[in-house]
């Protein structure tokens, strides 16, 4: 077998391992999915339903909130009823409410029928208690409602019995009066109330990318131009950089980013903005590294921890492409066994995504070495987190200074605050194994 074939098989094996790992991690996870109404009427609707069925069969607790804007527009127009919008809220007279309710349940019935065609049990219910939005600043919001509370026990019971709950955009007051509520807000409220592992906003063709938006320097961009992930602070930076764009023609993206940010700040593990015009976007986002949308997450996403002996095979696999490209010196299982206490790893979704080591020398110097970040996660700022962590560890150990040796990453380390220094300043024991043929450059942090 030639080397290229070996690499392909190794990558395929790692992808399969990744899927199995995600299946184990997200079994019994609660996933709330808002689907834009244009996706429900699009050519990929049946494909998305098949994917949702697969998620359910894989053991995920799936909740669906279908948008009904287009269908409500259609029904109201046919009945010659008028409406207006204020802050994305539909305002109508009481005469429109029976038609709105009919349209909302019609959409939910279509989703339930599609799930039934895939042998997935689903149920539509009235688990939302609401109240009238009322009159704000002199404006009567008519049939528009606000969410008061959700019947969490009932929803959990339905999930435990193996059904997919489907939420129409209707809420009821305590005396049974119906109100039209926002599907986007409903999906967010459900996710927060159930402490969901994931909240999906499946949009119609809207992507968060550098082509349509200004991207601050601190936010990483994937090779295809998409922004794969942002933490809550980065969302603020992104919104500040795009105020004019959001005001003029990207209000939907702005609204969903704010909803996702708020949901994460109130306990939802991760929120995802995905393009419903991409086939397979849901399983790709859940079961692959970073997927194909934009993930919003809290700052404590992933964790740095000491490496254990059982991590060594994964760390060697992680280092392999860096060794082959000449960026890292080769390590063996034996050498890592001897020095494993020097290493830390970055664990995310039960997988080792990065590693680095801090070696201490008798003269008080400390070396940061073996920095490797999985290429699928290199845009998430994991590398700087590892450097900062090891710098702090070096300070705790009273190191006089921290240095690194590199052949291809000098610019990156300079950005981290390291400055060029002479090889002569290396600790004597490290100087003995420095290879002039490799000609690594020394950078130091005082």
């Amino acid at each position: 077998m030639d080397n290229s074939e070996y690499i392909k098989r190794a990558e395929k094996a790692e992808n399969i391992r990744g899927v199995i790992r995600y299946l184990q991690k997200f079994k019994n996870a609660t996933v709330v999915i808002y689907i834009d109404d244009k996706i429900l009427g699009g050519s990929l609707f049946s494909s998305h339903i098949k994917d949702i069925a697969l998620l359910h069969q894989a053991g995920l607790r799936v909740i669906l909130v279908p948008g009904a804007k287009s269908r409500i527009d259609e029904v109201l127009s046919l009945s010659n009823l008028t409406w207006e919008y204020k802050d994305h809220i539909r305002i109508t007279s009481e005469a429109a409410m029976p038609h709105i309710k009919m349209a909302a349940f019609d959409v939910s019935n279509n989703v339930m029928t599609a799930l039934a065609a895939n042998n997935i049990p689903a149920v539509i219910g009235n688990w939302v208690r609401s109240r009238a939005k009322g009159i704000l600043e002199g404006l009567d919001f008519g049939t528009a409602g606000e969410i008061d509370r959700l019947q969490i026990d009932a929803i959990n019971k339905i999930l435990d019995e193996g059904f997919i709950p489907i939420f129409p955009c209707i809420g009821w007051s305590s005396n049974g009066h119906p109100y039209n509520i926002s599907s986007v807000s409903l999906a967010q409220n459900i996710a927060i109330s159930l402490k969901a592992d994931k909240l999906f906003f499946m949009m119609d063709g809207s992507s968060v990318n550098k082509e349509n938006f200004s991207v601050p320097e601190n936010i990483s961009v994937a090779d295809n131009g998409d922004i794969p992930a942002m933490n809550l602070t980065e969302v603020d930076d992104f919104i500040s950089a795009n105020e004019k764009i959001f005001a003029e023609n990207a209000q939907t993206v702005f609204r969903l980013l704010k909803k996702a940010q708020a949901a994460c700040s109130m306990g939802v593990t991760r929120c995802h903005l995905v393009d419903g015009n991409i086939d397979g976007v849901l399983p790709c986002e859940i079961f692959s590294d970073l997927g194909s949308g934009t993930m919003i997450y809290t700052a404590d996403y992933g964790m740095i921890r000491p490496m254990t002996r059982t991590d060594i095979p994964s760390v060697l696999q992680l280092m392999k492409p860096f060794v082959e490209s000449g960026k890292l010196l080769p390590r063996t299982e034996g050498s890592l066994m001897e020095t494993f206490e020097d290493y830390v790893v970055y664990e995310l979704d039960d997988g080792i995504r990065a590693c680095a080591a801090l070696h201490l020398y008798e003269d008080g110097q400390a070396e940061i070495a073996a920095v490797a970040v999985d290429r699928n996660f290199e845009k998430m700022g994991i590398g700087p987190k590892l450097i900062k962590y090891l710098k702090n560890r070096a300070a705790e150990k009273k190191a006089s200074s921290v240095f690194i040796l590199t052949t291809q990453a000098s610019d990156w380390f300079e950005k981290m605050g390291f400055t060029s220094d002479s090889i002569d300043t290396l600790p004597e024991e490290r100087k003995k194994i420095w290879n002039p043929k490799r000609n690594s450059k020394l950078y130091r942090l005082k």
Side-chain angles (χ1 to χ4, degrees):
M1 184 187 303
D2 62 32
N3 191 52
S4 61
E5 184 64 25
Y6 175 83
I7 292 173
K8 287 181 182 178
R9 289 201 179 184
E11 290 178 349
K12 184 177 180 180
E14 187 57 31
N15 289 336
I16 293 171
R17 293 187 192 107
V19 171
I20 294 171
R21 185 169 57 246
Y22 281 118
L23 280 169
Q24 292 172 332
K25 179 175 179 61
F26 291 116
K27 186 175 178 63
N28 298 320
T30 300
V31 178
V32 180
I33 305 172
Y34 161 79
I35 309 176
D36 186 273
D37 62 303
K38 292 180 182 177
I39 302 301
L40 297 172
S43 60
L44 289 177
F45 172 59
S46 61
S47 180
H48 291 316
I49 288 294
K50 287 182 184 296
D51 289 339
I52 289 168
L54 289 172
L55 297 181
H56 176 79
Q57 290 163 343
L60 281 74
R61 293 155 53 95
V62 179
I63 297 165
L64 297 181
V65 184
K69 179 180 180 297
S70 298
R71 181 59 179 150
I72 294 173
D73 288 350
E74 181 184 4
V75 170
L76 293 181
S77 295
L78 289 171
S79 302
N80 295 316
L81 292 166
T82 60
W83 67 91
E84 62 178 303
Y85 281 100
K86 174 67 174 177
D87 298 331
H88 302 282
I89 298 170
R90 185 192 299 270
I91 303 174
T92 66
S93 66
E94 282 293 332
M97 196 61 227
H99 302 274
I100 293 173
K101 188 166 64 171
M102 179 186 71
F105 275 84
D106 186 31
V107 169
S108 293
N109 272 311
N110 289 339
V111 173
M112 186 169 67
T113 300
L115 287 169
N118 288 272
N119 299 313
I120 301 299
V123 59
I124 302 167
N126 59 345
W127 307 292
V128 184
R129 289 290 171 263
S130 65
R131 65 183 186 279
K133 191 168 183 67
I135 301 171
L136 298 176
E137 298 179 355
L139 177 63
D140 187 349
F141 278 80
T143 58
E146 294 278 3
I147 300 168
D148 255 344
R149 64 183 178 86
L150 300 169
Q151 296 180 356
I152 299 302
D153 290 343
I155 298 167
N156 277 320
K157 184 177 180 182
I158 289 164
L159 289 167
D160 291 341
E161 291 177 353
F163 289 84
I164 291 182
I166 303 173
F167 283 73
C169 56
I170 304 294
W172 282 265
S173 67
S174 57
N175 60 4
H177 190 89
Y179 291 102
N180 183 198
I181 54 181
S182 161
S183 296
V184 169
S185 295
L186 179 55
Q188 181 202 42
N189 271 265
I190 295 167
I192 292 170
S193 298
L194 291 177
K195 301 188 186 314
D197 298 275
K198 286 182 177 290
L199 167 60
F200 280 89
F201 292 119
M202 184 182 284
M203 305 181 293
D204 174 41
S206 299
S207 296
V208 185
N209 55 41
K210 69 177 183 181
E211 181 180 349
N212 298 323
F213 299 98
S214 297
V215 183
E217 289 185 1
N218 62 313
I219 297 177
S220 299
V221 178
D223 294 337
N224 65 356
D226 289 345
I227 298 174
M230 288 188 282
N231 63 36
L232 302 189
T233 301
E234 290 169 340
V235 171
D236 284 332
D237 295 339
F238 183 79
I239 289 173
S240 297
N242 291 279
E243 288 181 353
K244 184 176 181 181
I245 295 173
F246 286 135
E248 293 177 352
N249 57 12
Q251 294 179 12
T252 298
V253 173
F254 169 76
R255 184 183 177 209
L256 295 181
L257 282 173
K258 293 298 289 183
K259 291 288 185 184
Q261 185 186 43
C264 283
S265 68
M266 288 187 275
V268 178
T269 307
R270 301 171 206 171
C271 296
H272 304 260
L273 277 62
V274 297
D275 184 354
N277 293 318
I278 299 175
D279 194 10
V281 67
L282 286 172
C284 283
E285 190 72 8
I286 293 177
F287 296 127
S288 64
D289 297 338
L290 292 185
S292 54
T294 297
M295 178 176 67
I296 310 303
Y297 64 98
T298 54
D300 58 356
Y301 176 64
M303 68 172 182
I304 298 172
R305 62 166 176 79
M307 186 175 82
T308 65
R309 290 184 174 89
T310 57
D311 295 325
I312 289 175
S314 297
V315 169
L316 287 172
Q317 186 67 29
L318 176 69
M319 289 180 176
K320 188 174 181 179
F322 297 91
V323 172
E324 291 174 346
S325 66
K327 293 178 181 178
L328 285 185
L329 288 170
R331 268 84 172 175
T332 65
E333 185 171 349
S335 66
L336 290 184
M337 277 289 203
E338 292 176 359
T339 59
F340 79 93
E341 292 180 343
D342 292 354
Y343 282 80
V344 294
V345 296
Y346 190 93
E347 185 177 44
L348 189 155
D349 291 339
D350 299 326
I352 304 301
R353 309 303 185 182
C355 68
L358 182 73
H359 303 307
L360 299 171
Y361 295 94
E362 291 183 0
D363 66 353
Q365 296 189 55
E367 177 187 11
I368 292 178
V371 180
V373 180
D374 186 326
R375 59 185 176 84
N376 293 307
F377 293 85
E378 61 186 9
K379 300 294 186 180
M380 289 187 61
I382 295 173
K385 289 178 183 177
L386 287 173
I387 298 300
K388 181 179 179 180
Y389 182 90
L390 293 180
K391 281 163 54 179
N392 290 338
R393 175 182 279 189
E396 291 171 0
K397 299 291 185 181
K398 309 298 183 185
S400 58
S401 67
V402 179
F403 70 88
I404 60 96
L405 289 164
T406 182
T407 58
Q408 300 177 42
S410 56
D411 291 338
W412 188 78
F413 282 107
E414 284 181 351
K415 196 173 181 180
M416 296 292 104
F418 288 79
T419 56
S420 180
D421 203 353
S422 170
I423 292 296
D424 292 336
T425 63
L426 282 174
E428 288 302 319
E429 55 193 296
R430 184 64 179 89
K431 196 182 298 182
K432 290 176 182 177
I433 59 173
W434 180 78
N435 187 347
K437 290 183 178 180
R438 183 172 168 81
N439 198 26
S440 300
K441 291 183 178 180
L442 172 66
Y443 284 82
R444 187 178 299 280
L445 188 72
K446 299 292 186 184

